[in-house]
Structures are given as structure tokens and as C-alpha cells.
């Protein structure tokens, strides 16, 4: 009957060896993960042998294990490394998360930008990026911006300011007044602008009757006109044309600025025998009102002289738009 030396303790195997009973004998072997070198058992470095780990191999006494790089985790076979979807597992981004192999990228919604930690999002102050983003004033809001316009204007297309025509909407002009819209507001002017001894003959036209002795020293007619210009208009600029309404034979017409040009903002250029162009030569800033009298003097061959005046009210808006 075979004697089990391993069970009876009659073997001479070292403490780091494993006794294996044989029929009529016994054998001293190394435990798994070790190999014999002479009489000693030394650890086997499995990291130098297949099957290799996908990323990193760590040898241990009698065994080994696999490790994965950051952003990966071990598959069920304990050898292969699979990507961790950080966006699904625990979304670290403040707004938008995009998974990439071994990592992730954070992005922000429109109107925000990534902060220095590349995770959180900070509001983008669009108003500071450009002074031309709005025609008048930019108001920054979380994730966006808006443009506002001054009183008398409305926002068009999100950024541009357009004049509101108060004469077509709501105004405070009386029945005996006419409403005149200008850039940024409106004004009320009398429907009958004539002052003694002038009488109204047609809309905006006042005539001094020849039967009145006072009229001999006054212009025969005064026509009232209104116009609007933007503030700081480029100069020189043609702004208004004056023209004779009635042409008499054998007469000579001359044109001049009778009043309202004390600071030299205007120049009257005669363009034909019966017309002249008012030229703006100095930039005007608003809001402001200029009243300029443009006179046409008519002389015939018999030295008969008469004149007519066009009283032009120029309303300069408060802004350049």
C-alpha cells in the first residue's frame, strides 16, 4: 500500500514548495505562478508572457492583473480596456458634454463660453466684443443680448433703430395744426402760418395784397416749408431746392439767404435762371430747429422789382440715424 508522504509529513519539500504524492514516492513542486530555479521557487513574471494586457500589466507574487488608462475600464475578461462614457456615467459638464475615446469635451450653449476649468460656462458679454453690434445701445443678458433704441425710435431687425412716425400713429397736435414728423420725434405747426398783413391763399402760402400800402415794402409772398435731417450729416450736402413757380418773360431772378444763416451753416448755389440749391456746409447737431428764409428777387427790364420768400424750417434730429 502506497505511503502518502505528503500526508504523513515524511517528505522533505521546502516551505515554499508544494508536496505532491506519487505512487511509491512524492514530488516537490512550486505553487501556481512560480517556477523552479534550482531548489528554489521564483515568481513568474506573467507580464512578459501572453495573453498580454490591453493597456498595462502589473505583476504580483504568484500572479498579475491588468490596469487601464484614465478614461477606460476593464472588460469582463479582465484583459481588454473599454472606453468610459463620462457623459452618461456622471455628466461633469455644466451644459453640453461630448464623449471622446478615453475622455470627454465640454461645450457651452450659444451666448456662453467655457471658463478656465474647461467644465463650467460663463456668460459671453456680446456688448463688450464690439461697439457696433447695436446701432444705439446694447444690453447684455444671460446667454444673449438685446438692442434698445432711444425714445422716438423702434428696433428693426434686432439691431437697427428706425424712426417712429408719430404723425401716422399718435400725436398731440390740434385741429388747427399740422403734424410734422422728424428723426426721433414730431412737432406741431399752425395750419395757417400767415401773419398780418399776409393772408392765406393756399396751403402754406401767404400773400401780401398789393392793395395794402404796407405790402409795397414787403415780399409779395411767403411760402412755409418743413424738412428733417439727421444729426451730424456729412457736409457739404445738397439739402433743399428752391424754384420759381411762375416764370415771367424778360425778368432776371437772383437768390439769396435772407436770414437764418448767421453762423454760416448754409450756402445757396444758383442752379439755373429759376432755381437754386441750398447746401449744408457745416455739420449740425440736434435736437435743433433752424429757420432759414430763402429769397428770390425778380427784376424786369422796366426796373420793376418783386420778391418772394420761402421760409424753410429745418429740424435736426437728435441722432445720426
Amino acid at each position: 500500500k502506497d505511503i502518502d508522504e505528503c500526508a504523513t509529513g515524511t517528505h522533505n519539500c521546502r516551505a515554499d514548495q508544494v508536496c505532491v504524492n506519487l505512487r511509491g514516492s512524492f514530488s516537490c513542486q512550486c505553487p501556481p505562478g512560480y517556477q523552479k530555479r534550482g531548489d528554489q521557487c521564483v515568481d513568474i513574471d506573467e507580464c512578459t508572457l501572453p495573453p498580454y494586457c490591453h493597456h498595462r500589466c502589473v505583476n504580483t507574487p504568484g500572479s498579475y492583473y491588468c490596469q487601464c488608462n484614465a478614461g477606460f475600464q476593464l472588460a469582463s475578461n479582465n484583459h481588454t480596456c473599454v472606453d468610459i462614457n463620462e457623459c452618461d456615467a456622471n455628466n461633469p459638464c455644466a451644459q453640453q458634454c461630448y464623449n471622446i475615446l478615453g475622455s470627454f469635451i465640454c461645450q457651452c450653449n450659444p451666448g456662453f463660453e467655457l471658463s478656465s476649468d474647461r467644465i463650467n460656462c460663463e456668460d459671453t458679454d456680446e456688448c463688450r466684443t464690439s461697439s457696433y453690434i447695436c446701432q444705439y445701445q446694447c444690453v447684455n443678458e444671460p446667454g444673449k443680448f438685446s438692442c434698445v433704441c432711444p425714445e422716438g425710435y423702434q428696433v428693426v431687425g434686432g439691431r437697427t433703430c428706425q424712426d417712429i412716425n408719430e404723425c401716422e400713429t399718435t400725436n398731440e397736435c390740434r385741429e388747427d395744426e399740422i403734424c410734422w414728423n422728424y428723426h426721433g420725434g414730431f412737432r406741431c405747426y399752425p395750419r395757417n402760418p400767415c401773419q398780418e398783413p399776409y393772408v392765406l391763399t393756399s396751403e402754406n402760402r401767404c400773400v401780401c395784397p398789393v392793395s395794402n400800402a404796407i405790402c409795397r415794402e414787403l415780399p409779395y409772398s411767403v411760402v412755409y416749408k418743413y424738412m428733417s435731417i439727421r444729426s451730424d450729416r456729412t457736409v457739404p450736402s445738397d439739402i433743399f431746392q428752391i424754384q420759381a413757380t411762375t416764370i415771367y418773360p424778360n425778368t432776371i431772378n437772383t437768390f439769396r439767404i435772407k436770414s437764418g444763416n448767421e453762423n454760416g451753416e448754409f450756402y445757396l448755389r444758383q442752379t439755373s435762371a429759376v432755381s437754386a440749391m441750398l447746401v449744408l456746409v457745416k455739420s449740425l447737431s440736434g435736437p435743433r430747429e433752424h429757420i432759414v428764409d430763402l429769397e428770390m428777387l425778380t427784376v424786369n427790364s422796366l426796373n420793376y422789382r418783386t420778391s418772394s420768400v420761402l421760409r424753410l424750417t429745418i429740424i435736426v434730429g437728435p441722432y445720426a440715424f
Side-chain angles (χ1 to χ4, degrees):
K1 180 181 178 181
D2 176 55
I3 298 172
D4 188 346
E5 295 87 356
C6 297
T8 60
T10 57
H11 63 85
N12 60 352
C13 293
R14 296 163 57 94
D16 60 347
Q17 295 177 339
V18 177
C19 177
V20 178
N21 184 58
L22 301 175
R23 188 171 181 81
S25 183
F26 66 92
S27 173
C28 294
Q29 297 182 5
C30 292
Y34 291 85
Q35 62 183 356
K36 263 193 173 184
R37 188 171 294 171
D39 292 334
Q40 293 183 341
C41 289
V42 294
D43 175 53
I44 299 173
D45 188 355
E46 293 86 356
C47 293
T48 62
L49 306 172
Y52 299 106
C53 294
H54 192 180
H55 285 174
R56 293 195 308 275
C57 177
V58 180
N59 185 61
T60 60
S63 185
Y64 74 99
Y65 62 91
C66 295
Q67 282 185 341
C68 294
N69 297 332
F72 294 85
Q73 61 185 0
L74 273 175
S76 57
N77 60 14
N78 289 328
H79 284 82
T80 308
C81 293
V82 293
D83 175 54
I84 298 172
N85 189 335
E86 295 87 353
C87 299
D88 287 343
N90 182 22
N91 188 351
C93 299
Q95 291 183 356
Q96 299 178 29
C97 181
Y98 294 91
N99 184 64
I100 59 175
L101 194 63
S103 187
F104 63 95
I105 293 175
C106 294
Q107 288 189 355
C108 297
N109 298 329
F112 294 87
E113 58 188 354
L114 272 177
S115 57
S116 57
D117 62 9
R118 313 304 295 171
I119 290 177
N120 291 300
C121 294
E122 298 174 350
D123 175 50
T124 303
D125 190 350
E126 296 87 354
C127 299
R128 297 184 63 183
T129 59
S130 172
S131 57
Y132 303 103
I133 196 168
C134 293
Q135 189 171 30
Y136 178 65
Q137 185 177 349
C138 177
V139 178
N140 185 60
E141 300 173 19
K144 59 180 181 177
F145 71 96
S146 61
C147 296
V148 296
C149 294
E151 185 179 358
Y153 292 87
Q154 59 187 354
V155 179
V156 176
R159 303 189 180 191
T160 307
C161 293
Q162 184 183 70
D163 173 55
I164 298 172
N165 190 339
E166 293 88 354
C167 295
E168 292 181 353
T169 54
T170 56
N171 59 78
E172 300 171 355
C173 296
R174 303 192 307 263
E175 286 293 326
D176 61 343
E177 294 177 325
I178 59 170
C179 178
W180 183 264
N181 182 72
Y182 67 91
H183 303 290
F186 72 97
R187 296 204 176 183
C188 301
Y189 294 104
R191 290 189 181 275
N192 182 3
C194 303
Q195 298 177 1
E196 290 288 341
Y198 288 88
V199 293
L200 186 68
T201 59
S202 61
E203 185 181 358
N204 295 340
R205 188 168 189 265
C206 304
V207 171
C208 199
V210 293
S211 58
N212 192 331
I214 303 175
C215 293
R216 295 173 188 173
E217 304 298 326
L218 297 175
Y220 171 69
S221 66
V222 179
V223 177
Y224 290 81
K225 293 286 186 180
Y226 308 93
M227 70 171 297
S228 306
I229 63 173
R230 294 178 174 88
S231 185
D232 302 320
R233 181 166 171 166
T234 304
V235 293
S237 179
D238 295 349
I239 61 172
F240 192 85
Q241 180 170 298
I242 180 174
Q243 185 166 340
T245 55
T246 306
I247 302 173
Y248 298 98
N250 301 318
T251 59
I252 298 174
N253 298 308
T254 56
F255 298 86
R256 68 172 182 139
I257 301 177
K258 187 176 182 181
S259 64
N261 193 32
E262 290 74 16
N263 296 321
E265 297 98 340
F266 307 98
Y267 169 74
L268 194 60
R269 183 182 74 247
Q270 189 155 347
T271 53
S272 73
V274 293
S275 64
M277 177 65 71
L278 183 65
V279 183
L280 180 67
V281 293
K282 286 185 180 180
S283 186
L284 299 177
S285 297
R288 191 174 174 184
E289 182 183 81
H290 286 268
I291 299 177
V292 183
D293 280 359
L294 308 176
E295 185 179 43
M296 183 182 72
L297 184 65
T298 303
V299 180
N300 66 8
S301 57
L302 300 176
N303 268 343
Y304 171 77
R305 299 164 63 91
T306 185
S307 71
S308 58
V309 171
L310 189 144
R311 181 158 292 171
L312 180 64
T313 300
I314 302 170
I315 310 167
V316 185
Y319 305 100
F321 49 82

